[in-house]
Amino acid sequence: MDEHELLLRHAERWAAERGRALDVELLDEALRLRSVHDGLAANRWPARSVAHLMLVRWPSHGPLDPPDVPVLVASLETFWRFLRNTGRIAGGSAEPAELVREAKAAGRQMVKACTDPAKMGPSKQIFLFGREIGITLDGAKDADELDARLAQITEAWNALPMAERVRRSPSNGGFGSRMSQAMTEAAGLVQQHGELPEGWEMPEPPRLDDEDEDAPVFPSDPAVSAPLYRASAYLQQVLALCEWVGDGREVTTTGVLRPAVAKQAYVDLGLWGWEREWLVAIGMQLPRGKRMADLLSKTGLSGWRTAADCLALDRLWLPALNAGLISVRGKMAVFDRSALPDTDERWSQLAQVLLLGLARSAEWESSLDPLLGVLFAIEGEKKVARSEAELADLWWDTPVNWCATGLPDREQARKLSDQYLQRCLVMFGDTGAWTERSGKLIGTAVGWDLSLVVMSALERGLLPSPDQD
């Protein structure tokens, strides 16, 4: 049985008995999107989570066509009242009346958001292109026909000039192998010659002391950063995935590992350890017991239908793919060992491209916004060490923290704010951007490079600015 099926049956019966509107398919899609991508239980609805569902999650990962917004809002309202009246709603959820007001406000913008290519994930952008050239996935008789249509769309997409693909993928901003190569070359020029190539700009971070504000800002010395990169758990895990892919693993026509292959990668690479930290950070209560722990190490807890839905794997896969470490040839992915660096400079270049890919994954998972504040708080010549509690206070007072500025319930707002910080610390905690000393975090050369990578990406439009909705 699907994880939401029984709850939906009860909700449908409750609605029918009271003559309330409830579109089960629309509601099921909403619950699936929240569960897979945000780790939110079907009965947990904190303030602002409705706007996130309707204006961020549904446009990026939902069906290609916008939903019938009034029907969706009515169905959500019925579901929230069902949860409240039957005692099923989780603690920390907003009142149904507040959620309805939030849904109606978001509903006025939802169709526009769902039709904006800049808000779509990569798969939706390609499927939209498929519709434009007359190929859709609707009505496919079986999996073979579905794969054949996907192959046609992908082939036509790949045949487009690079500039056209970039134009059609505004949210990606050219986040592909050629862009990765360009960033690698740019970083190399900075490190070797102390200057940026024409057309590139590296914004300066906020001043931390009385340094010369006109002084140039460069990545760290590769002789210092490269050993840190190579020792980081994140880079080691990316390379472990590459070795696991080896001379060939089956992929789908959308360029991700086939589900059965991805599940094997999950087990072989021990990805449950990271996913467990992530699920705790997003507020999930995990089952206990050794038998359950053994089971989860083989299956994970968050349900996913494709490899792209498994964040623990996707945060390794996409950066490796875009950095050229893994390439897709037909129906197989292979590890390109010739892409492995042979000098400290090239290791640093590769690592910075991987960090850009990780930042992109973090942005999709709403865990990027606190990062620069964290890095600047623990950086600088004095290397200020700060506890997570201190960082939580700093993040709370940051202007881009929508929890602090947009939620009336201050206690609930602070809980959500702390949770977003935890997501960020888990997402980037294995990169080597900081180390721990006496229970406090302190920045490293990797953290300095990461701050420059993110700022440069923001400046170039490769990542959305934190103050953009």
Side-chain angles (χ1 to χ4, degrees):
M1 181 179 292
D2 182 85
E3 62 175 317
H4 302 130
E5 185 175 342
L6 184 59
L7 184 63
L8 287 171
R9 286 181 188 174
H10 290 169
E12 187 176 25
R13 184 170 64 245
W14 184 91
E17 291 172 351
R18 289 158 180 78
R20 299 192 67 97
L22 183 70
D23 186 307
V24 174
E25 289 188 7
L26 271 182
L27 182 57
D28 185 40
E29 182 66 26
L31 299 183
R32 185 192 69 82
L33 288 170
R34 299 171 80 250
S35 173
V36 170
H37 298 286
D38 296 311
L40 289 172
N43 66 337
R44 184 167 179 263
W45 291 88
R48 292 278 294 185
S49 62
V50 185
H52 181 78
L53 165 68
M54 298 175 71
L55 301 180
V56 177
R57 187 58 63 211
W58 201 296
S60 62
H61 293 96
L64 190 56
D65 289 318
D68 185 322
V69 176
V71 173
L72 175 62
V73 172
S75 298
L76 287 170
E77 179 178 3
T78 296
F79 185 64
W80 294 324
R81 298 195 184 282
F82 156 73
L83 293 175
R84 171 63 69 193
N85 290 358
T86 59
R88 289 178 169 90
I89 200 160
S93 297
E95 289 295 325
E98 296 176 21
L99 295 172
V100 171
R101 285 194 292 271
E102 188 178 324
K104 288 180 177 179
R108 292 191 285 271
Q109 308 171 56
M110 188 175 186
V111 171
K112 181 180 179 181
C114 287
T115 54
D116 182 357
K119 294 184 180 295
M120 296 180 184
S123 296
K124 285 188 69 172
Q125 291 168 350
I126 293 176
F127 294 153
L128 180 63
F129 167 72
R131 174 180 289 180
E132 290 179 13
I133 63 175
I135 306 174
T136 71
L137 306 184
D138 301 332
K141 292 180 295 186
D142 52 34
D144 289 339
E145 183 176 346
L146 189 67
D147 282 347
R149 293 187 191 183
L150 284 170
Q152 283 182 279
I153 297 172
T154 304
E155 183 177 359
W157 174 268
N158 290 336
L160 292 173
M162 185 62 182
E164 177 65 7
R165 275 183 278 166
V166 171
R167 186 187 71 80
R168 289 174 172 272
S169 308
S171 67
N172 288 356
F175 182 63
S177 57
R178 295 188 186 182
M179 180 57 69
S180 298
Q181 182 179 355
M183 288 202 70
T184 300
E185 293 170 354
L189 287 171
V190 171
Q191 292 164 342
Q192 295 171 23
H193 306 296
E195 60 184 13
L196 288 164
E198 184 177 356
W200 284 79
E201 297 178 1
M202 185 73 79
E204 294 185 16
R207 294 174 60 196
L208 300 173
D209 48 38
D210 294 330
E211 64 190 17
D212 179 2
E213 63 182 53
D214 295 324
V217 178
F218 302 125
S220 60
D221 182 351
V224 175
S225 61
L228 297 177
Y229 281 125
R230 289 192 292 266
S232 74
Y234 179 72
L235 185 59
Q236 290 297 317
Q237 194 77 303
V238 170
L239 294 178
L241 172 62
C242 294
E243 290 289 354
W244 186 90
V245 169
D247 295 330
R249 298 281 184 172
E250 265 195 295
V251 295
T252 67
T253 51
T254 56
V256 298
L257 291 170
R258 288 195 172 277
V261 180
K263 290 180 186 297
Q264 190 60 51
Y266 183 95
V267 175
D268 292 347
L269 298 175
L271 299 185
W272 167 242
W274 184 88
E275 187 177 30
R276 180 179 57 234
E277 291 185 34
W278 174 257
L279 294 175
V280 171
I282 64 177
M284 291 190 69
Q285 298 294 321
L286 301 183
R288 300 182 179 182
K290 186 177 185 306
R291 291 182 61 186
M292 182 58 71
D294 291 342
L295 175 63
L296 292 174
S297 69
K298 298 179 176 62
T299 64
L301 185 60
S302 56
W304 47 280
R305 299 179 182 180
T306 75
D309 289 335
C310 179
L311 179 59
L313 178 60
D314 207 46
R315 71 190 285 268
L316 308 175
W317 174 264
L318 277 180
L321 195 67
N322 284 281
L325 291 171
I326 294 175
S327 59
V328 175
R329 302 170 186 172
K331 295 183 178 181
M332 303 295 285
V334 297
F335 175 24
D336 184 359
R337 289 180 172 81
S338 67
L340 286 176
D342 55 2
T343 65
D344 284 345
E345 288 79 6
R346 292 184 177 180
W347 271 110
S348 293
Q349 293 165 16
L350 170 65
Q352 289 161 25
V353 172
L354 293 174
L355 289 179
L356 174 60
L358 182 61
R360 187 62 180 146
S361 294
E363 186 269 320
W364 278 113
E365 299 299 330
S366 303
S367 57
L368 180 63
D369 287 357
L371 179 64
L372 287 179
V374 168
L375 293 175
F376 292 144
I378 60 178
E379 254 302 337
E381 292 182 2
K382 297 180 180 178
K383 296 290 183 184
V384 179
R386 299 185 188 271
S387 67
E388 290 187 15
E390 291 174 312
L391 293 173
D393 288 340
L394 290 170
W395 163 237
W396 175 250
D397 291 329
T398 302
V400 298
N401 186 347
W402 65 264
C403 299
T405 59
L407 299 180
D409 185 332
R410 305 305 284 171
E411 182 179 354
Q412 180 63 24
R414 182 57 193 255
K415 288 181 180 178
L416 285 174
S417 175
D418 291 351
Q419 188 180 97
Y420 276 100
L421 175 68
Q422 284 300 314
R423 290 188 187 193
C424 178
L425 294 179
V426 172
M427 181 65 78
F428 295 96
D430 56 357
T431 62
W434 52 75
T435 58
E436 187 171 328
R437 180 187 301 169
S438 301
K440 294 188 175 185
L441 306 184
I442 189 165
T444 67
V446 172
W448 174 253
D449 288 353
L450 177 56
S451 66
L452 296 187
V453 165
V454 171
M455 287 191 299
S456 181
L458 290 169
E459 188 78 5
R460 301 298 299 166
L462 301 181
L463 292 169
S465 174
D467 59 359
Q468 293 176 352
D469 192 349

